Amino acid sequence: MEQLDMGITIIGCGSATPETLFDNQDMSQIVATSDEWIRTRTGIKTRHLASEDESLSECATQAAEKALAMAGITARELDLIILATSTPDDLFGSASQIQSRLGASRAVSFDLTAACSGFVFGLVTAAQFIRTGLYQNVLIIGADFLSRWVDWTNRSTCVLFGDGAGAVVCQGTYQQDRLLGFELRSDGSKNACLNLIYQGQCKSLNDEVSISQGCYQPLTMRGKEIYRFVMEKVPEVVEKALFRANLTSEQIDWLILHQANQRIINAVAQRLKIPQEKTIGNLAHYGNTSAASIPLALDEAVRLGKIQSEDIVAISGFGAGLSWGAVIFQWGR
Ligand code: ACO
């Protein structure tokens, strides 16, 4: 008898954001900007910001709990938890804190860092563990609190970001494989375009040995360069993923791009000949939530009933690294 390959299906999604809202009007009180500039250049109107006593693990756990509830499985049934983040509570990793908070005692957990591409990279990583038959139920969370790492005196960057978390539960299936195609890319030669870099000072331990002691510096970004890079590379990577899925852009029901800029979303959709009404965007309410942005937008669209069972969804993340990638999947079990 023919041995069937293990396929993947996304069986639940969830999201969570801190309560505090900070709109463009509030922003104009702290840096020289205006609601008009931010809205017309980016599409952002407001964003959620985490307060001092909120942790990333807590927000990510809330998103995960909602995804598990939709999936109809318990945390005990999880085999693996991947947390895509660049802003963990603990540099050694925050996934294990989420594992503990959820009570997912059987699951192994680790962090994955690929900035705004993190969720896409995490989903593809999860798929490999499922395809090999090693794990059955995998939770992938994209969560970032970049408000903790922007320079709040720099109007070019601080207006762009918001905090949040989104999650999906993937399951192995011998039925239909719903992860249809993907493509991941990196280009470290352009690393300096977007950094949240460690900077240290020399500390002598004795006459012969000195080490570096320091901390991470606020995020820096060359916005125009990234904009141009994204316009060239994102349509290309979506097309490559579509090719692997043996589909054309006309067959896409929904396009969810990393929510960095509404102008990027509109222009990429146009290049791919995907009508605006098939794009999903929630940038106005959340800003750029980095690794959280795609699962947050997916969750909203599913709960609003926009994305229906059997719909073909293309997601594409891009950002620091530079890194970028796309996944084509079919929603529903
Ligand atoms: N309010 C008012 N004026 C501003 C602001 C602001 N908040 N920010 C910048 N300006 C000014 C600049 O000083 C500049 O003024 P000048 O012409 O007098 O020098 C002018 O506006 C134009 O600035 P640009 O940076 O050229 O503006 P641009 O149209 O390129 O928009 C933006 C900037 C929104 C950042 C855009 O370049 C962009 O979206 N880039 C891509 C970002 C992205 O996708 N990042 C990847 C994901 S993030 C991650 O991985 C963490």
Side-chain angles (χ1 to χ4, degrees), residues 1-79:
M1 215 171 86
E2 196 194 340
Q3 177 78 40
L4 284 172
D5 289 334
M6 179 70 87
I8 293 131
T9 175
I10 302 177
I11 59 171
C13 55
S15 61
T17 45
E19 257 178 48
T20 307
L21 281 170
F22 200 74
D23 67 16
N24 292 348
Q25 193 56 38
D26 297 321
M27 201 60 87
S28 68
Q29 306 298 308
I30 61 164
V31 283
T33 191
S34 63
D35 173 55
E36 210 258 331
W37 193 96
I38 304 171
R39 259 190 309 103
T40 52
R41 298 282 178 134
T42 70
I44 300 165
K45 291 183 185 158
T46 190
R47 71 284 290 145
H48 294 250
L49 298 181
S51 61
E52 187 196 350
D53 55 2
E54 284 174 292
S55 73
L56 182 98
S57 317
E58 190 184 343
C59 185
T61 303
Q62 286 167 13
E65 280 168 344
K66 290 179 195 164
L68 285 168
M70 188 189 284
I73 67 165
T74 64
R76 273 272 307 156
E77 291 173 86
L78 287 172
D79 302 300

Side-chain angles (χ1 to χ4, degrees), residues 33 37 41 116 155 194 221 223-224 260-261 263 288 318-320:
T33 191
W37 193 96
R41 298 282 178 134
C116 301
R155 68 178 181 175
L194 185 45
M221 180 166 82
K224 265 208 185 337
N261 188 320
R263 287 188 296 153
N288 176 348
F318 51 85

Side-chain angles (χ1 to χ4, degrees), residues 230 234-235 238 254-261 264-269 272 279-283 293-294 297 314-318 325-326:
V230 168
V234 170
V238 173
W254 300 104
L255 175 69
I256 310 180
L257 295 186
H258 167 49
Q259 307 285 301
N261 188 320
I264 291 179
I265 297 173
N266 297 346
V268 169
L272 288 167
T279 64
I280 286 174
N282 60 8
L283 205 71
S293 88
I294 292 173
I315 61 172
S316 179
F318 51 85

Side-chain angles (χ1 to χ4, degrees), residues 97-115:
Q97 291 174 50
I98 297 165
Q99 182 242 21
S100 163
R101 280 177 187 269
L102 287 171
S105 49
R106 287 180 52 255
V108 64
S109 55
F110 60 83
D111 288 25
L112 177 155
T113 304

